[in-house]
């Protein structure tokens, strides 16, 4: 006998469907857009090395280090593009190298120049550069984290390169580390039998006054990207660019946090290190003025909840340098934030590595010094040489959940943070722990390619929900003086007794002047409001929300 059980069908609540769909999207997007990184590639060359140069051993410390993890291994490629501090490695879907760049050229994984991918960030300086030739790393390579690479969400064969560009032809005006525009290029790796071609070259996204470093985080949908650049001086503004199925474009500006100026004695540059946490919920930026930490909304591309630790931290030694490098990196569990401040005291390098607890009630007071540069130098097998200092420079999380620390000068050594999820000195910093085969300076700079969609999607992000009024018109947006809101004929009654509310990024309601013509049209006077991003909320006479709109004020 076969027994059949009959169960009463219970219709799931709508919330169940939303969670189920979000979870399926999370799994799907995490799989499709995942780019697990298996190898790192970095290293530089002696000047004027050519493709025909035989490997006679004369340049035995020149070439590329090819590092693999689990287990750790390193091999050498002699003929490869020179990578100094600006090191871009783009992985394929299997995590292996697809192409790489130093910001001035792009090479494929066969160490050949990709068609049309040369002379990037070109200027008159190229003719006087100390390095020249096929494998050369021109001046742009000296600026860490000024270029990033992203796979196109709409074409799996195409990749965006986004860069900040310096006006080298007028250095007296631009100063060092002051960049005057953000540009993008597109590489199509399906062309030239898989060797690639740059099909779009250095198209302008936004002109202005920017710091050299950019950073990036995936949108909450797990597919698109937010890319962030910071204004250079006398500002606290950040500029957000978005990559999605439609392409790449400047999206909005947000001014929040500390306003940095250039009135720092003995330091002529503003060198920013910036990075997102690996879960995309936090953002940190560091300069000689101090360390800032923000929460980040992956749906809207907005910072909030600013925290600031001024430098020197907790009355520690203040370090001076003409070029003061700074770098930040979050621990794998996103709790601890590591910050390098490099500089000189009493004529000697005294670089320091700090740790902050982002979950501590007292963020500033949580600071601990976990390493001080020990003075070690790489003599390149010559005991009589003065050697190259292995100072602290850049930080990057590794595929095996360590953090590697690059050095400010070319040498063969890496520092490691072996247990970065541990508090204080238990994080286990080991200086000059890894000896590479060739000279290098910077580390590969990766965003979190593996970050998937947020389970709590943008539609359910905690913002009050509104009825679907996509047919309503709010224009112009961005706006500078007057914003007009027009409802369709079927909802003319909404304007009678309706309310308009405006909120800033801190959630504070901002008074605004509204004119209601009684016929379904509102005019909102924003001339008294500062530039920035606001939330426009329209309520009907019963206090129900009938329209939510992100409004950008730009002049």
């Amino acid at each position: 006998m076969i027994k059949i059980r009959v169960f009463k069908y219970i219709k799931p609540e709508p919330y169940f469907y939303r969670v189920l769909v979000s979870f399926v999207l999370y799994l799907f997007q995490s799989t499709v857009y995942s780019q697990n990184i298996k190898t790192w590639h970095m290293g530089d060359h002696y000047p004027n090395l050519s493709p025909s140069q035989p490997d006679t051993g004369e340049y035995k410390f020149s070439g590329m280090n090819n590092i693999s993890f689990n287990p750790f291994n390193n091999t050498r490629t002699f003929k490869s593009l020179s990578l100094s501090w600006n090191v871009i490695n783009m992985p394929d879907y299997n995590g292996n190298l697809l192409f790489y760049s130093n910001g001035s050229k792009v090479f494929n994984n066969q160490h050949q120049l990709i068609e049309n991918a040369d002379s990037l960030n070109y200027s008159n300086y190229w003719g006087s550069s100390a390095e020249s030739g096929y494998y050369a790393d021109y001046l742009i390579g000296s600026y860490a984290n000024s270029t990033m690479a992203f796979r196109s969400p709409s074409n799996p064969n195409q990749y965006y390169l986004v860069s900040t560009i310096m006006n080298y032809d007028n250095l007296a005006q631009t100063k060092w580390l002051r960049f005057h525009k953000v540009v993008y290029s597109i590489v199509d790796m399906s062309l030239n039998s898989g060797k690639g071609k740059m099909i779009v070259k250095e198209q302008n996204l936004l002109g202005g006054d920017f710091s050299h470093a950019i950073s990036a985080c995936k949108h909450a949908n797990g597919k698109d990207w937010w890319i962030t650049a910071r204004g250079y001086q006398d500002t606290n503004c950040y500029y957000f660019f978005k990559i999605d199925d439609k392409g790449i474009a400047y999206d909005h500006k947000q001014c929040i946090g500390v306003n940095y100026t250039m009135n720092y004695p003995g330091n002529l540059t503003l060198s920013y290190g910036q990075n997102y946490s690996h879960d995309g919920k936090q953002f940190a930026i560091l300069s000689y003025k101090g360390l800032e930490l923000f929460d980040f909304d992956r749906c809207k591309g907005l910072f909030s909840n600013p925290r600031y630790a001024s430098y020197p931290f907790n009355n520690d030694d203040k370090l001076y340098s003409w070029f003061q490098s700074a770098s930040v990196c979050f621990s794998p569990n996103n709790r601890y934030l590591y910050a390098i401040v490099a500089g000189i005291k009493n004529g000697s390098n005294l670089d320091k590595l700090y740790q902050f607890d982002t979950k501590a009630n007292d963020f500033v007071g949580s600071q601990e010094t976990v390493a001080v540069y020990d003075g070690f130098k790489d003599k390149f097998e010559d005991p009589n040489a003065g050697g190259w200092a292995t100072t602290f420079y850049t930080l990057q999380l590794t595929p095996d959940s360590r953090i590697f620390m690059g050095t400010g000068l070319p040498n063969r050594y890496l520092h490691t943070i072996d247990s970065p999820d541990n508090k204080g000195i238990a994080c286990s910093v080991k200086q000059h722990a890894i000896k590479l085969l060739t000279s290098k300076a910077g580390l590969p700079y990766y965003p979190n390619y593996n970050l998937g969609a947020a389970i709590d999607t943008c539609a359910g992000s905690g913002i009050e929900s509104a009825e679907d009024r996509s047919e309503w018109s709010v224009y112009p947006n961005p706006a500078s003086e007057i914003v007009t809101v027009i409802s369709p004929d079927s909802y003319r009654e909404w304007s009678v007794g309706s309310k308009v509310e405006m909120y800033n990024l801190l959630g504070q309601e901002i008074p605004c002047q509204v004119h209601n013509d009684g016929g379904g049209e509102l005019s909102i006077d924003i001339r008294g409001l500062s530039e920035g991003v606001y939330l426009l909320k329209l309520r009907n006479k019963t206090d129900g929300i009938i329209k939510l709109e992100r409004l950008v004020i730009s002049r």
Side-chain angles (χ1 to χ4, degrees):
M1 175 182 288
I2 299 176
K3 293 183 179 180
I4 301 176
R5 290 188 178 182
V6 179
F7 294 92
K8 180 180 179 181
Y9 173 72
I10 301 176
K11 182 180 180 180
E13 296 295 326
Y15 174 77
F16 169 81
Y17 287 115
R18 182 169 69 83
V19 172
L20 179 60
V21 171
S22 297
F23 185 62
V24 172
L25 283 173
Y26 172 78
L27 290 178
F28 173 77
Q29 291 169 338
S30 294
T31 301
V32 173
Y33 295 100
S34 174
Q35 291 165 267
N36 295 303
I37 298 167
K38 295 181 179 178
T39 58
W40 282 15
H41 305 268
M42 54 190 172
D44 56 15
H45 280 292
Y46 289 99
N48 305 319
L49 194 66
S50 69
S52 60
Q53 176 73 45
D55 187 4
T56 61
E58 180 182 1
Y59 303 111
K60 63 180 180 179
F61 301 125
S62 178
M64 175 181 283
N65 294 282
N66 307 292
I67 297 175
S68 57
F69 298 84
N70 296 320
F72 185 89
N73 187 44
N74 183 23
T75 61
R76 172 179 177 250
T77 299
F78 177 55
K79 297 177 182 179
S80 59
L81 179 63
S82 185
L83 305 172
S84 292
W85 289 273
N86 193 28
V87 183
I88 303 96
N89 290 181
M90 188 68 210
D92 61 18
Y93 280 121
N94 295 318
N96 298 311
L97 182 67
L98 183 65
F99 65 80
Y100 63 106
S101 175
N102 54 23
S104 58
K105 298 178 180 179
V106 186
F107 273 38
N108 58 34
N109 57 13
Q110 299 175 49
H111 308 290
Q112 299 171 340
L113 178 67
I114 289 177
E115 182 182 349
N116 197 37
D118 59 345
S119 303
L120 301 176
N121 198 25
Y122 185 81
S123 72
N124 291 335
Y125 188 87
W126 278 51
S128 60
S129 173
E131 291 195 40
S132 60
Y134 186 74
Y135 298 115
D137 187 352
Y138 291 92
L139 186 62
I140 183 65
S142 298
Y143 300 102
N145 309 347
S146 59
T147 305
M148 300 187 78
F150 310 90
R151 187 187 299 273
S152 168
S154 60
N155 188 328
N157 295 313
Q158 294 183 357
Y159 298 81
Y160 289 95
L161 266 71
V162 182
S163 303
T164 50
I165 300 295
M166 179 190 285
N167 184 3
Y168 294 110
D169 294 334
N170 194 355
L171 292 179
Q173 176 183 348
T174 60
K175 308 295 184 185
W176 292 100
L177 292 183
R178 183 175 181 175
F179 286 54
H180 74 288
K181 62 181 176 179
V182 181
V183 302
Y184 76 96
S185 303
I186 299 178
V187 173
D188 191 324
M189 292 304 297
S190 67
L191 302 178
N192 290 331
S193 302
K195 295 180 180 180
K197 178 180 179 179
M198 181 167 284
I199 59 174
V200 176
K201 191 169 185 177
E202 292 194 317
Q203 295 299 299
N204 190 46
L205 284 169
L206 187 67
D209 193 19
F210 307 102
S211 169
H212 67 102
I214 57 176
S215 53
C217 180
K218 273 193 174 179
H219 188 279
N221 62 20
K223 183 180 67 170
D224 303 336
W225 286 94
W226 294 111
I227 302 168
T228 310
R230 196 195 190 283
Y232 183 67
Q233 66 169 346
D234 302 320
T235 184
N236 64 343
C237 294
Y238 297 83
Y239 300 84
F240 291 84
F241 307 84
K242 190 177 182 182
I243 297 176
D244 58 21
D245 289 335
K246 299 176 183 178
I248 183 171
Y250 168 62
D251 194 81
H252 64 274
K253 176 175 74 172
Q254 181 184 12
C255 300
I256 186 173
V258 178
N259 191 326
Y260 293 151
T261 60
M262 282 190 66
N263 58 358
Y264 186 85
N267 192 314
L268 304 179
T269 68
L270 273 176
S271 175
Y272 296 106
Q274 55 178 282
N275 222 327
Y276 284 92
S277 60
H278 314 298
D279 60 5
K281 295 181 179 180
Q282 300 179 92
F283 173 84
I285 185 166
L286 174 69
S287 81
Y288 67 80
K289 299 287 270 188
L291 176 67
E292 290 184 89
L293 177 67
F294 302 97
D295 293 340
F296 183 62
D297 186 327
R298 291 173 60 197
C299 291
K300 305 184 192 69
L302 295 174
F303 299 138
S304 62
N305 189 26
R307 284 143 287 173
Y308 175 56
S310 62
Y311 182 77
F313 306 130
N314 293 334
N315 298 315
D316 200 0
D317 295 314
K318 178 178 285 189
L319 306 180
Y320 292 88
S321 174
W322 176 80
F323 177 89
Q324 188 164 36
S325 59
S327 183
V328 291
C329 185
F330 288 85
S331 60
N333 65 4
N334 303 292
R335 174 165 186 167
Y336 296 108
L337 176 60
Y338 292 89
I340 289 174
V341 178
I344 296 173
K345 184 177 181 181
N346 298 327
S348 300
N349 291 102
L350 195 65
D351 301 356
K352 293 189 177 183
L353 176 65
Y354 300 94
Q355 183 197 74
F356 290 81
D357 187 347
T358 65
K359 293 186 177 181
N361 292 329
D362 180 8
F363 171 70
V364 177
S366 72
Q367 175 265 319
E368 293 190 46
T369 303
V370 294
V372 179
Y373 170 55
D374 63 7
F376 181 83
K377 295 181 179 180
D378 184 3
K379 296 187 177 184
F380 290 96
E381 317 302 339
D382 182 358
N384 298 317
W388 292 86
T390 58
T391 50
F392 300 169
Y393 189 64
T394 50
L395 296 165
Q396 178 64 48
L397 183 69
T398 67
D400 58 3
S401 296
R402 292 183 288 172
I403 293 176
F404 282 0
M405 184 162 34
T407 55
L409 297 172
N411 57 69
R412 295 170 296 166
Y413 288 88
L414 293 174
H415 313 297
T416 64
I417 307 175
D418 288 344
S419 303
D421 284 341
N422 291 344
K423 180 177 175 58
I425 60 174
C427 70
S428 185
V429 178
K430 295 180 181 178
Q431 297 191 43
H432 41 89
I434 296 176
K435 184 178 180 180
L436 301 176
L437 298 175
T438 74
S439 174
K440 62 90 207 72
L443 300 176
Y445 182 46
Y446 295 107
N448 186 0
Y449 291 121
N450 295 326
L451 185 60
I455 293 296
D456 184 14
T457 62
C458 297
S461 58
I463 300 174
E464 291 180 88
S465 61
E467 299 175 39
D468 182 11
R469 295 291 184 262
S470 57
E471 68 270 29
W472 294 16
S473 178
V474 178
Y475 70 93
N477 190 5
S480 59
E481 297 183 352
I482 302 295
V483 176
T484 301
V485 182
I486 299 178
S487 67
D489 292 340
S490 57
Y491 292 100
R492 291 292 182 185
E493 71 276 12
W494 79 268
S495 63
V496 179
S498 64
K499 294 185 295 184
V500 176
E501 300 171 2
M502 188 89 74
Y503 295 86
N504 64 17
L505 297 179
L506 299 178
Q508 301 166 330
E509 186 172 357
I510 306 298
C512 57
Q513 300 180 28
V514 181
H515 172 70
N516 186 346
D517 72 353
E521 181 172 322
L522 294 181
S523 296
I524 306 171
D525 191 338
I526 59 172
R527 286 175 288 190
L529 302 182
S530 302
E531 285 188 314
V533 181
Y534 295 81
L535 177 66
L536 180 64
K537 185 183 297 184
L538 306 177
R539 295 185 183 272
N540 60 22
K541 59 185 178 182
T542 62
D543 210 40
I545 300 176
I546 51 178
K547 183 67 175 177
L548 288 173
E549 182 81 5
R550 187 186 70 172
L551 177 65
V552 178
I553 299 178
S554 179
R555 300 182 179 93

